[in-house]
Amino acid sequence: MGRRNNSRTFEIALSAISCAVAAGALALGLLSGWLVGTGYLIAVIALMLPLSKQFLWGGFLAYMATVILAVVLGAAVKFWDLVPFAMFFGLHPLMNFLQVRFKINRWLAFAIKAVWFDCTLVAGYFLIYELGGIALPEQVQAVIEGWRLYVIIFTAGTAVFLLYDYLIFKAQIGVNRLVYRIRK
């Protein structure tokens, strides 16, 4: 009974550390304006901590708490910058974990995640440029008018996602090794 209780305690502690680092990085990135990508990256890597010990429930709760805390810490002012993280980037490590755990075909999983990523890009475009009222330069607007926007997003987005997915899998391996060294 003591070992099981210790495991739950460790899950809670690891998830709490993960959430604190992720929420702090995300809030600082969103509030600074120019560190959004860095905040996303640190938050995604931090959310891998509970998953490195196979704590799926702890990883999911850390993701939910991270999004809530980021809103409370000031991201509510710029919620459109938080939407891609809430829709895709925060959940991506969980999906990779499930893919490996249930041995889902990597190409099938890649296709599903790539479409999910591309749809997140489309939603981000509409939130920032259509609803947010930010204007694109006229040369860019002329290129992406109509259906061309979707072609650009679904081709370039999928190419970028291929590299991103590969690097996130490698980052998860690094996080797994780090957490293994912390507690054997």
Side-chain angles (χ1 to χ4, degrees), residues 1-148:
M1 175 121 170
R3 179 171 164 82
R4 183 174 181 205
N5 191 19
N6 189 22
S7 177
R8 289 188 186 226
T9 304
F10 186 63
E11 178 178 6
I12 292 168
L14 199 58
S15 300
I17 291 168
S18 168
C19 175
V21 171
L26 200 56
L28 284 174
L30 292 172
L31 291 176
S32 73
W34 50 277
L35 289 174
V36 176
T38 305
Y40 271 35
L41 182 63
I42 293 171
V44 166
I45 291 173
L47 289 175
M48 292 179 186
L49 288 173
L51 301 175
S52 65
K53 285 294 189 180
Q54 312 296 316
F55 298 145
L56 179 63
W57 189 242
F60 178 72
L61 291 177
Y63 157 75
M64 293 297 295
T66 296
V67 172
I68 292 168
L69 283 173
V71 169
V72 170
L73 292 173
V77 176
K78 298 168 76 176
F79 75 96
W80 56 86
D81 286 343
L82 184 64
V83 168
F85 182 84
M87 279 181 65
F88 179 79
F89 292 101
L91 290 171
H92 185 246
L94 288 166
M95 294 307 121
N96 284 347
F97 174 79
L98 293 173
Q99 175 188 344
V100 171
R101 186 175 203 177
F102 294 113
K103 297 177 180 142
I104 298 171
N105 181 317
R106 93 173 106 166
W107 296 110
L108 174 64
F110 172 76
I112 292 168
K113 291 186 295 184
V115 169
W116 179 28
F117 179 75
D118 294 339
C119 289
T120 301
L121 291 178
V122 169
Y125 168 79
F126 280 109
L127 279 173
I128 293 169
Y129 295 110
E130 299 292 329
L131 295 177
I134 297 173
L136 286 170
E138 288 193 30
Q139 298 87 358
V140 175
Q141 190 66 32
V143 170
I144 63 170
E145 278 190 20
W147 58 271
R148 289 186 214 154

